[in-house]
């Protein structure tokens, strides 16, 4: 069967080149006589894989030396707890709630201290990013938390919030490596790999060294202390070895594409194809305020549940899969991550035009 155009929000499309390379190395990784799936995480061969992956990520994001890169498990959801466990010294933090995952992170933090909601866009079904230029951030807040790109609702922070000097923590799961970032503006950046970087099972965290201390909340499990992981170079226990290996291949692929500035340009061009069509369509409508639109996740509706269902069914039959919107919002959503080629978006738009003509 031919490969489909996979618009899934995650686990999501991976670069075909990376999959082919991994397939070629499946039984024998570079003359080792075994698969990466079978080798010890303590071996010299694997040590080079994880160190190269870290170096390539540092190169792509220009990560300064005073930031640690950790390859962890438990996905972004585990980080919802790790952030307060490691950072809530004053038992107080400010949360900007712009979607489902920020909402969950805010709720989780409330188990460990006072999680104050300083801004939210829930009043309009998270269809915009609130103005965060002058928020009422408590003087003794340990950090300010955002989810930078909202996978479900298709919004993205175009400007970082003014944190009034507090540490900024950002969940970048669905926009990770889609454009350049100034790492120095953040205390903690983390993201699950399964949306834009690799297979499910890896979460990558970039943490400023002064935030990695023994001073964590009482009862913090050994595994969830950043210091445990940082001191052991992400090898305290068996990491998700194969997932990290694929992430490393994606980092090399991104370098080959010209790095993150080139990716941003490509992603803008790709997103414009879809947004330009939605803006002039009589049938399909985007659900996000234009100023807050994500380059990675594009939700849209026809205004009729029946037509939405018909569109999803016919699109799937035509080879455009996983376009169904998240169960909490319905409609459709096209996730057009780094690895989605522009032809995929162009063909989707051509299919949407045809569908519109037939169902006008």
């Amino acid at each position: 069967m031919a490969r489909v155009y996979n618009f899934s929000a995650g686990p999501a499309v991976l670069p075909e080149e990376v999959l082919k390379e991994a397939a070629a190395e499946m039984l024998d990784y570079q003359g080792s006589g075994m698969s990466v799936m079978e080798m010890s995480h303590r071996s010299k061969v694997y040590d080079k894989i994880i160190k190269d992956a870290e170096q390539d990520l540092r190169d792509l994001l220009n990560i300064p030396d005073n930031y640690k890169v950790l390859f962890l498990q438990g996905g972004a959801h585990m980080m919802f707890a790790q952030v307060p466990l490691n950072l809530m010294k004053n038992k107080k933090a400010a949360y900007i709630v712009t979607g489902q995952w920020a909402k969950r992170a805010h709720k989780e933090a409330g188990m460990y201290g006072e999680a104050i909601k300083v801004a939210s866009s829930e009043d309009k079904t998270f269809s915009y990013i609130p103005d965060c230029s002058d928020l009422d951030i408590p003087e003794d807040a340990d950090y300010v938390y955002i989810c930078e790109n909202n996978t479900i609702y298709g919004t993205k922070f175009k400007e970082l919030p003014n944190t009034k000097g507090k540490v900024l923590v950002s969940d970048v799961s669905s926009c990770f490596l889609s454009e350049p970032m100034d790492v120095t503006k953040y205390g903690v950046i983390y993201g699950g790999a399964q949306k834009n970087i690799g297979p499910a099972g890896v979460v990558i965290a970039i943490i400023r060294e002064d935030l990695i201390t023994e001073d964590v909340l009482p009862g913090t499990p050994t595994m969830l202390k950043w210091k445990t992981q940082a001191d052991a170079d992400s090898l305290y226990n068996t990491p998700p070895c194969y997932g990290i290996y694929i992430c490393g291949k994606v980092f090399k692929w991104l370098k080959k594409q010209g790095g993150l500035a080139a990716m941003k340009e490509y992603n803008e061009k790709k997103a414009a194809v879809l947004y330009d069509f939605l803006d002039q369509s009589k049938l399909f409508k985007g659900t996000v305020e234009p100023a807050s639109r994500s380059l990675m996740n594009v939700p849209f509706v026809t205004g009729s549940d029946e037509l939405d269902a018909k569109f999803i069914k016919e699109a799937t039959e035509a080879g455009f899969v996983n376009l169904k919107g998240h169960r909490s919002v319905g409609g459709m959503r096209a996730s057009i991550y780094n690895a989605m080629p522009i032809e995929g978006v162009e063909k989707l738009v051509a299919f949407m035009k045809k569908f519109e003509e037939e169902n006008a």
Side-chain angles (χ1 to χ4, degrees):
M1 185 187 166
R3 272 176 71 74
V4 293
Y5 287 111
N6 178 11
F7 293 94
S8 170
V13 60
L14 281 163
E16 208 162 300
E17 199 179 305
V18 165
L19 294 173
K20 283 176 176 164
E21 259 181 47
E25 292 174 345
M26 179 53 88
L27 292 175
D28 177 11
Y29 176 73
Q30 296 190 357
S32 65
M34 58 182 148
S35 171
V36 174
M37 279 193 186
E38 305 169 295
M39 62 179 59
S40 163
H41 60 296
R42 308 279 178 208
S43 66
K44 274 200 173 74
V45 185
Y46 190 76
D47 195 56
K48 181 168 170 28
I49 290 173
I50 193 168
K51 284 203 167 70
D52 284 357
E54 176 177 338
Q55 191 53 56
D56 286 334
L57 180 62
R58 284 185 176 277
D59 295 347
L60 283 165
L61 280 169
N62 297 314
I63 300 173
D65 290 344
N66 66 324
Y67 282 75
K68 286 276 190 198
V69 172
L70 304 179
F71 294 99
L72 306 170
Q73 300 177 65
H77 272 75
M78 187 68 93
M79 296 299 289
F80 296 169
Q82 283 193 48
V83 168
L85 285 169
N86 285 273
L87 294 183
M88 256 194 186
K89 321 289 186 204
N90 298 322
K91 296 278 191 98
K92 195 178 282 187
Y95 277 71
I96 297 167
V97 178
T98 51
Q100 204 68 14
W101 310 128
K103 200 173 167 179
R104 280 198 191 173
H106 171 254
K107 188 181 174 195
E108 189 80 9
M111 292 165 59
Y112 305 105
E114 200 183 342
I116 300 154
K117 202 188 285 185
V118 292
S120 170
S121 53
E122 198 162 5
D123 61 330
K124 292 186 186 169
T125 330
F126 301 123
S127 59
Y128 71 104
I129 296 291
D131 176 9
C132 297
S133 58
D134 187 19
L135 299 173
D136 189 10
I137 294 164
E139 201 47 51
D140 55 348
D142 291 300
Y143 58 87
V144 177
Y145 182 101
I146 61 170
C147 178
E148 203 157 322
N149 186 88
N150 296 285
T151 326
I152 294 177
Y153 301 95
T155 60
K156 163 87 165 64
F157 278 82
K158 300 293 162 79
E159 275 179 39
L160 293 176
N162 174 3
T163 66
K164 312 273 174 89
K166 304 296 171 203
V167 169
L168 178 63
V169 176
S170 180
D171 172 355
V172 297
S173 295
S174 51
C175 60
F176 217 174
L177 303 187
S178 62
E179 56 183 68
M181 288 174 86
D182 181 355
V183 174
T184 63
K185 289 183 174 170
Y186 304 79
V188 180
I189 297 167
Y190 73 82
Q194 74 279 6
K195 296 175 184 293
N196 212 21
I197 294 175
V202 186
V203 60
I204 298 168
I206 301 162
I207 307 171
R208 211 173 61 214
E209 277 179 350
D210 61 296
L211 301 173
I212 301 173
T213 66
E214 284 288 7
D215 180 20
V216 295
L217 292 189
T220 300
T222 305
M223 276 289 291
L224 302 189
K225 292 176 184 172
W226 290 338
K227 189 156 175 35
T228 303
Q229 303 291 353
D231 288 351
D233 294 326
S234 304
L235 295 167
Y236 174 74
N237 71 323
T238 312
C241 299
Y242 196 79
I244 294 166
Y245 152 78
I246 300 287
C247 291
K249 287 209 172 295
V250 172
F251 300 154
K252 289 203 185 305
W253 177 80
L254 284 168
K255 280 180 147 181
K256 221 158 95 180
Q257 308 312 303
L260 302 190
M263 272 333 288
K264 183 183 189 200
E265 202 178 310
Y266 187 62
N267 288 328
E268 284 174 339
K269 200 168 138 190
K270 197 162 56 175
V273 173
L274 187 45
Y275 284 126
D276 289 351
F277 168 69
L278 288 171
D279 287 343
Q280 59 84 51
S281 170
K282 299 266 191 295
L283 177 64
F284 296 101
K285 291 280 166 281
T287 58
V288 173
E289 291 185 7
S292 299
R293 283 172 168 175
S294 163
L295 294 179
M296 297 285 100
N297 311 99
V298 185
F300 55 97
V301 293
T302 63
S304 151
D305 291 349
E306 275 166 51
L307 265 186
D308 286 356
K310 185 179 187 214
F311 173 77
I312 291 160
K313 182 177 182 288
E314 290 181 13
T316 303
E317 285 162 4
F320 305 103
V321 305
N322 296 315
L323 282 164
K324 194 173 195 274
H326 190 269
R327 60 186 178 276
S328 63
V329 288
M332 284 75 67
R333 169 183 51 180
S335 292
I336 49 176
Y337 297 125
N338 286 342
M340 171 58 68
I342 198 161
E343 308 82 76
V345 182
E346 288 165 348
K347 285 180 179 172
L348 173 65
V349 166
F351 177 81
M352 288 166 79
K353 281 179 180 162
K354 184 170 161 282
F355 184 88
E356 181 166 335
E357 282 159 21
E358 290 167 1
N359 294 274

